Coordinates of all heavy atoms in Angstrom, one line a residue:
G14 N 0.5 0.5 -1.0 CA -0.6 0.3 -0.1 C -0.9 -1.2 0.0 O 0.0 -2.0 -0.2
G15 N -2.2 -1.5 0.0 CA -2.6 -2.9 0.3 C -2.6 -3.8 -0.9 O -1.6 -4.1 -1.5
V16 N -3.8 -4.2 -1.4 CA -3.9 -5.3 -2.3 C -3.2 -5.0 -3.7 O -2.4 -5.8 -4.1 CB -5.4 -5.6 -2.6 CG1 -5.5 -6.7 -3.6 CG2 -6.1 -5.9 -1.3
G17 N -3.4 -3.8 -4.2 CA -2.7 -3.4 -5.5 C -1.2 -3.4 -5.3 O -0.5 -3.9 -6.2
N49 N 2.0 2.0 3.5 CA 1.0 2.8 4.2 C 0.6 2.1 5.5 O 0.3 0.9 5.6 CB -0.2 2.9 3.3 CG -1.4 3.5 4.1 OD1 -1.2 4.5 4.8 ND2 -2.5 2.9 3.9
G51 N -1.7 3.9 7.4 CA -2.9 4.7 7.8 C -4.1 3.9 8.1 O -5.1 4.4 8.7
D52 N -4.1 2.6 7.6 CA -5.3 1.8 7.9 C -5.2 1.1 9.3 O -6.1 0.4 9.7 CB -5.4 0.7 6.8 CG -5.6 1.3 5.4 OD1 -5.6 2.5 5.3 OD2 -5.6 0.5 4.5
D53 N -4.0 1.3 9.9 CA -3.8 0.5 11.2 C -4.7 0.9 12.3 O -5.3 2.0 12.3 CB -2.3 0.8 11.6 CG -1.3 0.3 10.6 OD1 -1.7 -0.1 9.5 OD2 -0.1 0.3 10.9
M54 N -4.9 0.0 13.2 CA -5.7 0.4 14.4 C -5.4 -0.6 15.5 O -4.8 -1.7 15.3 CB -7.2 0.3 14.0 CG -8.0 -1.0 14.2 SD -7.6 -2.3 13.0 CE -8.2 -1.7 11.5
L56 N -7.3 -3.0 17.9 CA -8.6 -3.7 17.9 C -8.5 -4.9 18.8 O -7.5 -5.7 18.7 CB -8.9 -4.1 16.5 CG -10.4 -4.5 16.3 CD1 -11.4 -3.3 16.6 CD2 -10.6 -5.0 14.8
V61 N -3.3 -3.9 14.6 CA -3.6 -4.5 13.2 C -3.1 -3.6 12.2 O -3.4 -2.4 12.2 CB -5.2 -4.7 13.1 CG1 -5.5 -5.3 11.7 CG2 -5.7 -5.6 14.2
C62 N -2.3 -4.1 11.2 CA -1.7 -3.3 10.2 C -2.1 -3.9 8.8 O -1.3 -4.7 8.2 CB -0.2 -3.3 10.3 SG 0.4 -2.7 11.9
P63 N -3.3 -3.5 8.3 CA -3.8 -4.2 7.1 C -2.9 -4.2 5.9 O -2.7 -5.2 5.2 CB -5.1 -3.4 6.8 CG -5.6 -3.0 8.2 CD -4.3 -2.6 8.9
D64 N -2.3 -3.0 5.6 CA -1.5 -3.0 4.3 C -0.2 -3.8 4.5 O 0.2 -4.5 3.6 CB -1.2 -1.5 3.9 CG -2.5 -0.9 3.3 OD1 -3.5 -1.6 3.2 OD2 -2.4 0.2 2.9
L65 N 0.5 -3.6 5.6 CA 1.7 -4.4 5.9 C 1.4 -5.9 5.8 O 2.1 -6.7 5.2 CB 2.3 -4.1 7.2 CG 3.1 -2.8 7.3 CD1 3.4 -2.4 8.7 CD2 4.4 -2.9 6.5
D66 N 0.2 -6.3 6.3 CA -0.1 -7.7 6.3 C -0.5 -8.2 4.9 O -0.1 -9.3 4.5 CB -1.3 -8.0 7.3 CG -0.8 -7.8 8.8 OD1 0.4 -7.7 9.0 OD2 -1.7 -7.7 9.7
S67 N -1.3 -7.4 4.2 CA -1.6 -7.8 2.8 C -0.3 -8.1 2.0 O -0.2 -9.1 1.3 CB -2.3 -6.7 2.1 OG -3.7 -6.7 2.3
Y70 N 1.6 -11.3 3.6 CA 0.9 -12.5 3.2 C 1.1 -12.8 1.7 O 1.3 -14.0 1.3 CB -0.6 -12.5 3.6 CG -0.9 -12.4 5.1 CD1 -2.1 -11.9 5.5 CD2 0.0 -12.8 6.1 CE1 -2.4 -11.8 6.9 CE2 -0.3 -12.7 7.4 CZ -1.5 -12.2 7.8 OH -1.8 -12.1 9.2
R80 N -10.1 -13.5 -2.0 CA -10.7 -12.4 -1.2 C -9.9 -11.1 -1.3 O -10.4 -10.0 -1.1 CB -10.8 -12.9 0.3 CG -11.9 -12.4 1.1 CD -12.0 -13.1 2.4 NE -10.7 -13.4 3.1 CZ -10.6 -13.8 4.3 NH1 -11.7 -14.0 5.0 NH2 -9.4 -14.0 4.8
G81 N -8.6 -11.3 -1.5 CA -7.8 -10.1 -1.7 C -7.2 -9.6 -0.4 O -6.3 -8.7 -0.4
W82 N -7.6 -10.2 0.7 CA -6.9 -9.8 2.0 C -7.0 -11.0 2.9 O -7.7 -12.0 2.6 CB -7.7 -8.6 2.6 CG -9.2 -8.9 2.9 CD1 -10.2 -8.6 2.0 CD2 -9.8 -9.5 4.0 NE1 -11.4 -9.0 2.5 CE2 -11.2 -9.6 3.7 CE3 -9.3 -10.0 5.2 CZ2 -12.1 -10.1 4.6 CZ3 -10.2 -10.5 6.1 CH2 -11.6 -10.6 5.8
G83 N -6.2 -10.9 4.0 CA -6.2 -12.0 5.0 C -5.5 -13.3 4.5 O -4.9 -13.4 3.4
E89 N -12.4 -18.9 11.7 CA -12.9 -17.7 12.4 C -13.5 -18.1 13.8 O -14.4 -17.5 14.2 CB -13.9 -16.9 11.6 CG -13.3 -16.4 10.3 CD -14.3 -15.9 9.3 OE1 -15.5 -15.7 9.6 OE2 -13.9 -15.6 8.1
W102 N -14.9 -5.3 16.2 CA -15.9 -4.9 15.2 C -16.5 -6.1 14.6 O -15.8 -6.8 13.8 CB -15.2 -4.0 14.2 CG -14.7 -2.7 14.6 CD1 -15.1 -2.0 15.6 CD2 -13.6 -2.0 14.0 NE1 -14.4 -0.8 15.7 CE2 -13.5 -0.8 14.8 CE3 -12.7 -2.2 12.9 CZ2 -12.5 0.2 14.4 CZ3 -11.8 -1.2 12.6 CH2 -11.7 0.0 13.4
P103 N -17.7 -6.4 14.8 CA -18.3 -7.6 14.2 C -18.2 -7.7 12.7 O -18.2 -8.7 12.0 CB -19.8 -7.6 14.7 CG -20.0 -6.2 15.2 CD -18.7 -5.6 15.5
W104 N -18.1 -6.5 12.0 CA -18.1 -6.4 10.6 C -16.6 -6.4 10.0 O -16.4 -6.4 8.9 CB -18.7 -5.1 10.1 CG -18.5 -3.9 10.9 CD1 -19.2 -3.5 12.0 CD2 -17.3 -3.1 10.9 NE1 -18.6 -2.4 12.6 CE2 -17.4 -2.2 11.9 CE3 -16.2 -3.0 10.0 CZ2 -16.5 -1.2 12.2 CZ3 -15.2 -2.1 10.3 CH2 -15.4 -1.1 11.3
F105 N -15.7 -6.6 11.0 CA -14.2 -6.6 10.5 C -13.6 -7.9 11.1 O -13.2 -7.9 12.3 CB -13.6 -5.3 11.1 CG -12.2 -5.1 10.5 CD1 -12.1 -4.5 9.2 CD2 -11.0 -5.3 11.2 CE1 -10.8 -4.2 8.7 CE2 -9.8 -5.1 10.7 CZ -9.7 -4.5 9.5
T106 N -13.6 -8.9 10.3 CA -13.3 -10.2 10.8 C -11.7 -10.4 11.0 O -11.0 -10.2 10.0 CB -13.8 -11.3 9.8 OG1 -15.1 -11.0 9.5 CG2 -13.6 -12.7 10.3
L107 N -11.4 -10.8 12.2 CA -10.0 -11.1 12.4 C -9.9 -12.6 12.5 O -10.3 -13.3 13.4 CB -9.5 -10.5 13.7 CG -9.5 -9.0 13.8 CD1 -9.1 -8.5 15.2 CD2 -8.5 -8.4 12.8
G108 N -9.4 -13.3 11.4 CA -9.3 -14.7 11.3 C -8.3 -15.3 12.3 O -7.4 -14.5 12.8
D111 N -4.8 -14.9 11.1 CA -4.5 -13.5 11.1 C -4.2 -13.0 12.5 O -3.3 -12.2 12.8 CB -5.7 -12.8 10.4 CG -5.3 -11.3 10.1 OD1 -4.2 -11.1 9.6 OD2 -6.2 -10.5 10.2
H115 N -1.3 -10.6 14.6 CA -1.6 -9.4 15.4 C -1.1 -9.6 16.8 O -0.6 -8.7 17.5 CB -3.1 -9.1 15.4 CG -3.6 -9.0 14.0 ND1 -3.0 -8.4 13.0 CD2 -4.8 -9.5 13.5 CE1 -3.7 -8.5 11.9 NE2 -4.8 -9.1 12.2
R118 N 2.7 -9.4 16.7 CA 3.2 -8.0 16.5 C 3.0 -7.2 17.8 O 3.9 -6.5 18.2 CB 2.3 -7.3 15.4 CG 2.6 -5.8 15.2 CD 1.7 -5.1 14.2 NE 1.9 -5.6 12.9 CZ 1.0 -6.2 12.2 NH1 -0.2 -6.5 12.7 NH2 1.2 -6.6 10.9
H169 N -13.1 5.5 11.8 CA -11.8 4.9 11.3 C -12.0 4.6 9.9 O -13.1 4.1 9.5 CB -11.4 3.7 12.2 CG -10.0 3.2 11.8 ND1 -9.8 2.4 10.7 CD2 -8.8 3.4 12.4 CE1 -8.5 2.1 10.7 NE2 -7.9 2.7 11.7
F170 N -11.0 4.7 9.1 CA -11.1 4.4 7.6 C -11.7 3.0 7.4 O -12.5 2.8 6.5 CB -9.7 4.4 7.0 CG -9.6 3.9 5.6 CD1 -10.0 4.6 4.6 CD2 -9.1 2.6 5.4 CE1 -10.0 4.1 3.3 CE2 -9.1 2.0 4.1 CZ -9.5 2.8 3.1
E171 N -11.3 2.0 8.2 CA -11.8 0.6 8.0 C -13.3 0.6 8.2 O -14.0 -0.3 7.6 CB -11.1 -0.4 8.9 CG -9.6 -0.6 8.5 CD -9.4 -1.2 7.2 OE1 -10.4 -1.6 6.5 OE2 -8.2 -1.4 6.8
W174 N -14.7 1.9 5.0 CA -14.3 1.0 3.9 C -15.0 -0.3 3.9 O -15.5 -0.8 2.9 CB -12.7 0.8 4.0 CG -12.1 0.2 2.8 CD1 -11.6 -1.1 2.6 CD2 -11.8 0.9 1.5 NE1 -11.1 -1.2 1.4 CE2 -11.2 -0.1 0.7 CE3 -12.0 2.2 1.0 CZ2 -10.7 0.3 -0.6 CZ3 -11.6 2.5 -0.3 CH2 -11.0 1.5 -1.1
V175 N -15.1 -0.9 5.1 CA -15.7 -2.2 5.2 C -17.1 -2.2 5.7 O -18.0 -2.8 5.0 CB -14.8 -3.1 6.2 CG1 -15.4 -4.4 6.4 CG2 -13.4 -3.2 5.8
K176 N -17.4 -1.5 6.7 CA -18.8 -1.5 7.2 C -19.7 -0.7 6.2 O -20.8 -1.2 5.9 CB -18.9 -0.8 8.6 CG -20.3 -0.8 9.2 CD -20.3 -0.2 10.6 CE -21.7 0.0 11.2 NZ -21.6 0.7 12.5
R178 N -18.7 0.1 3.1 CA -18.2 -0.2 1.7 C -18.0 1.1 0.9 O -18.3 1.2 -0.2 CB -19.2 -1.0 0.9 CG -19.6 -2.3 1.5 CD -18.6 -3.3 1.9 NE -17.6 -3.7 0.9 CZ -16.4 -4.3 1.3 NH1 -16.2 -4.5 2.6 NH2 -15.5 -4.6 0.4
N216 N -4.1 2.9 -3.9 CA -5.1 4.0 -3.8 C -4.3 5.3 -3.7 O -3.5 5.5 -2.7 CB -5.9 3.7 -2.5 CG -7.1 4.7 -2.4 OD1 -6.9 5.9 -2.5 ND2 -8.3 4.2 -2.3
V219 N -5.7 7.3 0.0 CA -5.5 6.8 1.3 C -4.3 5.8 1.4 O -4.1 5.3 2.5 CB -6.8 6.1 1.8 CG1 -7.9 7.2 2.0 CG2 -7.2 5.0 0.9
S220 N -3.6 5.6 0.3 CA -2.4 4.8 0.5 C -1.2 5.6 0.1 O -0.5 6.1 0.9 CB -2.5 3.5 -0.4 OG -3.4 2.6 0.1
G255 N -10.8 -2.1 -5.1 CA -11.3 -1.3 -4.0 C -12.2 -0.2 -4.6 O -12.7 -0.2 -5.7
M256 N -12.3 0.8 -3.7 CA -13.2 1.9 -4.1 C -12.4 3.2 -4.2 O -12.8 4.3 -3.6 CB -14.3 2.1 -3.0 CG -15.3 0.9 -2.9 SD -14.8 -0.6 -2.1 CE -14.9 -0.2 -0.4
Ligands
FO1_401 N1 -11.9 -6.4 4.5 C1 -13.2 -6.7 4.4 O1 -13.8 -6.3 3.4 N2 -13.8 -7.3 5.4 C2 -13.2 -7.6 6.5 O2 -13.8 -8.2 7.5 C3 -11.8 -7.4 6.6 C4 -11.1 -7.7 7.8 C5 -9.7 -7.5 7.8 C6 -8.9 -7.8 8.9 C7 -7.5 -7.6 8.9 C8 -6.9 -7.0 7.9 O3 -5.6 -6.7 7.9 C9 -7.7 -6.6 6.7 C10 -9.1 -6.8 6.7 N3 -9.8 -6.4 5.6 C11 -11.2 -6.7 5.6 C12 -9.2 -5.8 4.4 C13 -9.0 -4.3 4.6 O4 -10.1 -3.5 4.7 C14 -8.1 -3.9 3.5 O5 -7.0 -4.7 3.4 C15 -7.3 -2.5 3.5 O6 -7.5 -1.8 4.6 C16 -7.6 -1.7 2.3 O7 -6.5 -1.7 1.6

Side-chain angles (χ1 to χ4, degrees):
V16 181
N49 169 47
D52 301 357
D53 297 7
M54 90 286 297
L56 194 61
V61 178
C62 303
D64 283 1
L65 282 166
D66 291 346
S67 272
Y70 293 158
R80 212 171 38 171
W82 54 271
E89 298 170 8
W102 293 333
W104 38 269
F105 192 77
T106 307
L107 296 176
D111 193 34
H115 310 317
R118 174 188 293 117
H169 188 280
F170 169 77
E171 292 292 0
W174 195 252
V175 177
K176 184 177 172 187
R178 307 304 310 160
N216 189 306
V219 293
S220 289
M256 291 80 76

